Amino acid sequence: MAKRGSNLLSDLQIRRWIAGGESVAKSDGDGLTFTLSAAGTATWVLRYRFANRSRELTIGNYPDIGLGAARKLASEQRVAIDKGQDPAAQKRAERQQLKAAWTVRRVITDFKEKVVDAGQLSARTRKAKHWDLDNIILPKLGPFNVQDVTPPDVVDMLDRSGRTWAMQNRFLTTAGQVFDHAIGRQLIRINPAAGIKMKALMGPRPPVRKRVMLKEGELRTLLSSVDEIGTENALALKILLATCVRTWELITARWEHVDFERGTWLIPAEKVKTRVAFLVPITPTVAAWLKELRHLAGDSEWVLPGRSSKRAGSHVGRSTLGAAISRAFERGQLDIRRFTPHDTRSTAKGHMRNLGVSREISEIALNHTLKGMEGIYDVREEIPERRQALELWAMFLATCERGEIWNVVPIGRAVA
């Protein structure tokens, strides 16, 4: 044990050291030491010897534990040391016992609360994470103590899922995030999912489906027969084409965010892939289509309200529009190349470039984030170039809808 002496410190001294901001380590006697880090963390440490070895026990932080309380706690620990106990070793054992109580299920519950449901992820991402956790990771790894999970356990979980390369890669990413969370809580030191590579498990990633850009003739054919997929679906498809929004952004649109007077449609941050809200200009053509939907929606708050009792009070399902398009192809009602709702964005992008819209503005029209462009526009405000580009694109679509050929040749760039 350290040589015992009198109480050497005072509250006034401690406050002065903290105000000074420099790192210090000052003894109060009998092994009790006040330490102040360069970062400003003030801590009480008891230094002692046990079995001929120097030991340190962190008692707590100042000012949570004042000088008098620190002396009392240090005195209690000295009594234990005199009885042959090692408080530092006991504290380590207690930490290990606490860690042993953490199953993967408990880690996932904590991960959901502090990460998945903390308001930083989009609704779509949250839904995907919950699905992965509840249907893949919990059933296989949930009962395990988090310290006992090994890489082979994670590989077995992926193999048993029987899913595609892309889905298993998503499960692996989610599992890695769960175990990173456990590392952050100091429950484990190594992430058992970190070294696993999908290429080693299932070979190279399958080629990503190439996006379709519908040609002008295909657009004329599509728009002349689009009502075959149903009035609401037809209007939704035309709005997707003309506004360049993502399908999910339209499906979850509310009337409160559509301002016909200003000619804008706000996409809230929680619905956006980039987690940044933005305004979509409503051109006269799109406004007419939206007003048709407004009439069909009745008193619903949703632009595209659910059409079954199961979805009463909510919006249509994520697959509704895609399923309607697929059925029309299967019935032979659409005599063009197969496409999906997401292909409306690649179609719009390609045609805007052909119409003379610059690459930067066409990217902004699709709400893509560009390097070097973030500081130029405030996405919460109207972007005139985006409106001009979408007005030009809507004119092109209106021409196709009438079955006419677009004969306006862009001189240079129509929209710079």
Side-chain angles (χ1 to χ4, degrees):
M1 295 237 356
K3 182 180 179 180
R4 300 192 175 183
S6 58
N7 299 333
L8 304 178
L9 305 182
S10 69
D11 282 313
L12 180 60
Q13 288 176 312
I14 293 172
R15 287 195 293 270
R16 285 175 176 170
W17 290 326
I18 292 175
E22 296 182 5
S23 58
V24 298
K26 300 291 185 179
S27 174
D28 186 56
D30 288 349
L32 179 62
T33 304
F34 173 81
T35 66
L36 179 66
S37 71
T41 302
T43 307
W44 294 108
V45 176
L46 179 62
R47 292 170 175 165
Y48 63 99
R49 292 189 67 81
F50 187 86
N52 278 335
R53 296 185 64 180
S54 297
R55 307 281 197 189
E56 283 192 359
L57 174 68
T58 299
I59 292 178
N61 292 338
Y62 180 93
D64 299 333
I65 297 176
L67 178 57
R71 287 169 175 166
K72 181 179 179 182
L73 290 171
S75 177
E76 292 171 357
Q77 294 298 339
R78 292 189 200 101
V79 171
I81 294 166
D82 288 342
K83 291 180 180 180
Q85 300 173 15
D86 184 355
Q90 290 176 349
K91 191 171 184 177
R92 286 195 299 272
E94 290 171 0
R95 285 200 298 267
Q96 288 301 318
Q97 289 177 354
L98 288 174
K99 289 181 181 180
W102 281 82
T103 61
V104 174
R105 181 179 301 277
R106 185 177 174 186
V107 174
I108 287 175
T109 299
D110 197 61
F111 176 68
K112 284 181 177 179
E113 177 186 347
K114 295 176 180 174
V115 179
V116 180
D117 298 326
Q120 300 300 309
L121 303 178
S122 68
R124 182 176 181 178
T125 302
R126 285 200 307 274
K127 185 176 180 180
K129 292 298 179 191
H130 274 286
W131 197 95
D132 296 351
L133 295 168
D134 296 339
N135 295 280
I136 302 298
I137 301 173
L138 268 174
K140 180 62 181 175
L141 302 180
F144 283 53
N145 185 288
V146 70
Q147 295 178 321
D148 296 335
V149 179
T150 64
D153 294 323
V154 179
V155 171
D156 185 58
M157 175 194 74
L158 297 174
D159 287 341
R160 288 177 179 270
S161 74
R163 300 303 178 111
T164 63
W165 197 103
M167 288 299 291
Q168 289 195 40
N169 188 56
R170 194 182 86 179
F171 302 154
L172 178 60
T173 298
T174 302
Q177 292 170 345
V178 169
F179 293 114
D180 277 343
H181 186 72
I183 291 174
R185 290 203 60 115
Q186 299 296 296
L187 300 173
I188 56 176
R189 292 185 179 182
I190 299 174
N191 188 326
I196 299 172
K197 304 298 181 185
M198 286 303 304
K199 186 174 181 179
L201 299 182
M202 299 182 70
R205 181 176 190 137
V208 178
R209 173 186 174 273
K210 188 176 180 180
R211 287 296 166 197
V212 173
M213 174 190 166
L214 296 176
K215 298 177 181 178
E216 181 178 345
E218 290 176 306
L219 286 173
R220 285 198 299 273
T221 300
L222 171 64
L223 294 174
S224 66
S225 57
V226 72
D227 287 338
E228 297 292 345
I229 66 174
T231 302
E232 291 94 335
N233 291 329
L235 290 168
L237 180 58
K238 289 191 288 188
I239 291 169
L240 278 182
L241 271 169
T243 60
C244 307
V245 300
R246 295 176 174 87
T247 308
W248 181 247
E249 293 164 355
L250 176 58
I251 287 173
T252 57
R254 298 174 185 264
W255 288 116
E256 64 180 294
H257 295 138
V258 177
D259 190 334
F260 287 110
E261 185 175 339
R262 290 185 58 199
T264 58
W265 165 22
L266 173 67
I267 309 292
E270 64 270 17
K271 304 299 182 185
V272 183
K273 183 178 180 180
T274 58
R275 303 295 292 148
V276 178
F278 68 101
L279 286 176
V280 178
I282 299 177
T283 65
T285 301
V286 173
W289 293 333
L290 280 170
K291 286 175 181 177
E292 286 188 62
L293 282 179
R294 188 75 184 90
H295 175 73
L296 294 170
D299 59 358
S300 174
E301 64 181 302
W302 303 99
V303 172
L304 294 171
R307 301 166 196 166
S308 66
S309 57
K310 182 180 179 181
R311 301 199 65 85
S314 184
H315 53 74
V316 295
R318 182 187 297 274
S319 62
T320 298
L321 181 56
I325 294 171
S326 293
R327 286 193 299 270
F329 275 113
E330 290 164 5
R331 292 193 295 258
Q333 295 167 324
L334 296 177
D335 188 20
I336 59 175
R337 283 178 298 161
R338 283 254 183 180
F339 71 94
T340 68
H342 197 70
D343 290 323
T344 58
R345 288 167 58 80
S346 52
T347 297
K349 166 75 174 179
H351 281 289
M352 279 192 285
R353 293 293 288 121
N354 290 342
L355 291 169
V357 177
S358 71
R359 185 188 71 83
E360 292 81 3
I361 298 304
S362 65
E363 288 290 286
I364 290 173
L366 271 68
N367 196 40
H368 286 163
T369 300
L370 299 179
K371 293 182 179 179
M373 293 291 293
E374 292 89 340
I376 297 178
Y377 296 109
D378 182 346
V379 296
R380 296 170 297 174
E381 301 296 336
E382 173 74 39
I383 300 176
E385 294 88 345
R386 175 189 274 170
R387 181 176 290 276
Q388 293 167 17
L390 292 182
E391 285 177 348
L392 180 65
W393 170 228
M395 289 170 57
F396 181 89
L397 289 174
T399 301
C400 291
E401 189 176 23
R402 293 193 300 268
E404 301 172 0
I405 297 176
W406 179 264
N407 58 7
V408 179
V409 179
I411 301 175
R413 292 187 182 274
V415 181

